[in-house]
Amino acid sequence: MLLDALRRPMLFVGGKGGVGKTSLASALAVARARDGERVLVVSTDPAHNLGHLWRREVGDAPVRLADFARGSLDGVEVDPHATIDRHLDAVEKTMTRMLPERQHRAAREHLERARHAPGSHESAVLERIAELAEAGQRDYDAVIFDTAPSGHTLRLLALPGQLAGWTETLLRNRDRSERFSAAMRGLAGTADPQAEAQADLRRALQRRRDRFSGMQQAIADPARTGFVVVFTAEALPVAETLEVVQSLRSMGVTVAGLVANRRSPADGGEVLAARRTVEDAHLQHVRDAVPDAPVLEIPLVPGELTGPEALTTLAGLLECAAVG
């Protein structure tokens, strides 16, 4: 069954833009919630569609999207700007406690430049993902991430190890600095009025390092995390899908399954039948190239896939999909 093949505490759903990632991430979440789980679906794509899909307001804090007989489904749209604001506010409070007042203005100007620095958006998204993954372990049975198009997501998945290492370097530098400062204070026989702020900074760096290290370990653990690649059975999406699978495996990320979305019907007339034949060839290519991951086929459905009723219908198609 589909839910057995894709059952992990944490799932990332990704693929080329426009292939239906948000709809399928939500449908996967609905299927698991109907099966009795508490599920959180998280949109990390800057061009958020989760709220539009569910026809309700969704923000950076979890909101209830649906209740079922035994399970429930909440949703979040990650707001990197809110994460950056929270982080820089905390840094500013620590810096103003550590620095003399005459340097406060320069410190604030430095932080404002950091707000718009290259990479700040991606690191903020990753930090929020790590926070939600931690919350998921406490409050949910499953967290399903609806990710941005493939290239952005692959860069994001490579960040935890890089940021954990960078933060560890900061901690080692602080160790050396604090040992030197303590030695100088000992020679001078003076107390350190900034000791509490220094300790707060150390604790913040340790939390950040531990969070990124934990995320890195979770991503690489096939029992905890899997990646579902969504594609349409066309030449370009298939080529990108195979590149994504190769990149994920080189990073140690388990490909839990692939979903061929919007399959043309074989009995829908001459045009769709001809298209179906071309799709069959592309699908066979995917199965040959990735023989150890299940490939699920979801048919093209009539109407607009928005709203709880449509997503519940799509969840039913996922539950009935043959695993090939």
Side-chain angles (χ1 to χ4, degrees), residues 18-20 231-232 260-264 275 279 298-301:
V19 296
F231 66 101
T232 52
N261 196 23
R262 303 172 189 153
R263 284 281 274 138
S264 299
R275 185 177 179 85
E279 292 174 0
I298 303 302
L300 180 68
V301 297

Side-chain angles (χ1 to χ4, degrees), residues 215-264:
M215 189 69 187
Q216 183 184 26
Q217 292 168 11
I219 287 173
D221 184 350
R224 297 167 63 189
T225 303
F227 200 103
V228 178
V229 187
V230 181
F231 66 101
T232 52
E234 301 167 284
L236 291 180
V238 164
E240 183 166 329
T241 293
L242 298 181
E243 290 175 1
V244 168
V245 169
Q246 184 177 7
S247 296
L248 290 170
R249 289 180 169 172
S250 70
M251 292 189 293
V253 180
T254 298
V255 179
L258 301 99
V259 179
N261 196 23
R262 303 172 189 153
R263 284 281 274 138
S264 299

Side-chain angles (χ1 to χ4, degrees), residues 109 207 212 258 315:
E109 290 174 351
R207 284 194 301 271
F212 290 140
L258 301 99

Side-chain angles (χ1 to χ4, degrees), residues 9-34:
M10 188 160 63
L11 275 180
F12 289 87
V13 179
K16 186 177 175 64
V19 296
K21 296 185 299 296
T22 303
S23 298
L24 285 165
S26 289
L28 278 168
V30 168
R32 292 185 64 165
R34 290 204 307 184

